[in-house]
Amino acid sequence: MVEQLFKELSLLEEVEAIALGGSRAGENYDEKSDYDVYLYVNSSISEEKRKNILKNFCSYMEIGNSFWEYEDNCVLNNGIEIDILYRDMKDFMKGIERVVVECQPSNSYTTCMWHNLITCKILYDKTRKLEKYKNKYSINYPKQLKENIIKRQLELIDSSMPAYPNQIKKAISRKDFVSINHRTTEFLASYFDLLFAINEVTHPGEKRLVQLCKKQCKILPENFEENLNSLFSHMYSEENQSLLMSDIENIVNNIKKISH
């Protein structure tokens, strides 16, 4: 059924390529796994066109969500969820170039879209343009990018005035649980961005990061999982919240040891 959906989408003149991401692009999925589908387009596809195709395959549709990327979030007739994301190929590849060629770091998830490109499974490629980009950027991790990410993330988690631990400490003093949660989340996002860069591994996204680091990263901080578990146990315990800063200090000190 889903193959027929992909075929009909490929017939749209606006569509240059279709790719599959997430677990479905690899081997670790089952028949109930969701679909993450990327449509690379040369111009926007009207909602009417998309609805007319999707209604034949989906029992539920949310058309034109734009909370992250512009996408249609649906449930197929067999009950499996499918997210269809629409990307302007030129704009998307400019973003990849900023990371891989210009070596510009972000506050988090720096190499996530690069990872998405080089690990995707191409389903349709009108002029083989997506394949060419995938091959172009399937390269070794740039040394300058690694250095730039390490520098930026160490500043964010340790050395700068607005570093996350300083903000978390203030939030604890105010007993501001929302702020503690928000700043700790940002701290961890920078931490994992740093850890993947140290290992010259592209960032796989936001899910199962501890397990993926243990599987893919040859270099891990001392007491990697234990320190994270300790941090999580203290985050929402007012009685033990004073220990949260000790947890963060241990995490920072241990990753600094492997950052050089």
Side-chain angles (χ1 to χ4, degrees):
M1 178 188 71
V2 73
E3 289 79 11
Q4 184 59 35
L5 169 59
F6 298 151
K7 183 177 180 180
E8 292 197 22
L9 290 170
S10 73
L11 296 175
L12 295 173
E13 61 183 356
E14 298 92 342
V15 175
E16 293 191 34
I18 302 175
L20 197 59
S23 61
R24 289 272 182 180
E27 299 177 353
N28 298 319
Y29 69 91
D30 56 40
E31 66 278 3
K32 294 184 179 180
S33 296
D34 298 347
Y35 287 90
D36 296 312
V37 183
Y38 305 94
L39 264 63
Y40 291 89
V41 300
N42 50 46
S43 60
S44 60
I45 308 168
S46 71
E47 288 192 3
E48 183 180 3
K49 271 189 184 181
R50 285 150 40 207
K51 283 180 182 178
N52 284 338
I53 293 174
L54 291 171
K55 69 181 182 183
N56 298 316
F57 300 91
C58 301
S59 59
Y60 178 79
M61 300 181 294
E62 291 186 5
I63 304 297
N65 282 338
S66 55
F67 301 111
W68 293 278
E69 294 186 61
Y70 184 72
E71 57 195 83
D72 297 332
N73 306 117
C74 308
V75 179
L76 294 166
N77 289 331
N78 61 8
I80 297 174
E81 293 184 12
I82 182 170
D83 298 328
I84 304 174
L85 289 73
Y86 301 90
R87 292 172 170 172
D88 180 285
M89 187 175 286
K90 288 183 179 179
D91 287 346
F92 183 80
M93 296 308 165
K94 284 179 182 177
I96 301 297
E97 183 175 357
R98 280 194 294 272
V99 173
V100 184
V101 179
E102 299 173 14
C103 299
Q104 295 184 17
S106 302
N107 286 359
S108 57
Y109 301 99
T110 298
T111 59
C112 194
M113 289 302 161
W114 178 25
H115 178 88
N116 180 267
L117 173 64
I118 63 177
T119 61
C120 77
K121 180 179 180 181
I122 298 175
L123 304 177
Y124 169 76
D125 201 0
K126 186 187 296 184
T127 59
R128 300 186 67 180
K129 193 179 293 185
L130 183 59
E131 180 185 5
K132 291 175 183 175
Y133 279 121
K134 184 175 179 179
N135 291 336
K136 176 181 178 180
Y137 291 114
S138 293
I139 60 174
N140 292 331
Y141 205 106
K143 181 181 178 181
Q144 189 62 56
L145 175 63
K146 176 180 179 177
E147 292 176 356
N148 291 350
I149 293 175
I150 290 174
K151 181 179 183 295
R152 184 181 187 90
Q153 302 308 358
L154 284 177
E155 289 175 349
L156 281 170
I157 69 170
D158 182 48
S159 62
S160 68
M161 279 187 65
Y164 296 125
N166 296 335
Q167 298 182 47
I168 295 167
K169 187 175 181 179
K170 291 177 183 178
I172 291 173
S173 69
R174 301 186 188 109
K175 299 187 184 299
D176 187 341
F177 289 99
V178 173
S179 183
I180 292 169
N181 177 75
H182 185 264
R183 295 293 87 188
T184 303
T185 298
E186 295 300 313
F187 167 80
L188 290 172
S190 284
Y191 171 77
F192 280 105
D193 206 45
L194 171 57
L195 186 52
F196 284 120
I198 290 169
N199 284 273
E200 300 180 11
V201 174
T202 53
H203 198 307
E206 61 187 14
K207 298 176 183 176
R208 301 185 297 275
L209 289 182
V210 173
Q211 294 90 329
L212 287 171
C213 283
K214 289 168 67 178
K215 182 178 179 180
Q216 298 179 9
C217 296
K218 294 180 180 179
I219 306 169
L220 287 176
E222 183 181 356
N223 299 321
F224 167 63
E225 193 168 8
E226 293 87 343
N227 284 338
L228 288 172
N229 288 337
S230 180
L231 179 146
F232 297 137
S233 70
H234 295 144
M235 271 183 68
Y236 300 110
S237 169
E238 189 168 0
E239 181 180 345
N240 297 313
Q241 212 161 60
S242 60
L243 299 174
L244 181 59
M245 292 311 301
S246 296
D247 296 327
I248 290 172
E249 184 178 351
N250 287 335
I251 289 170
V252 170
N253 288 338
N254 285 335
I255 201 167
K256 283 169 66 177
K257 292 176 184 177
I258 64 171
S259 298
H260 305 290

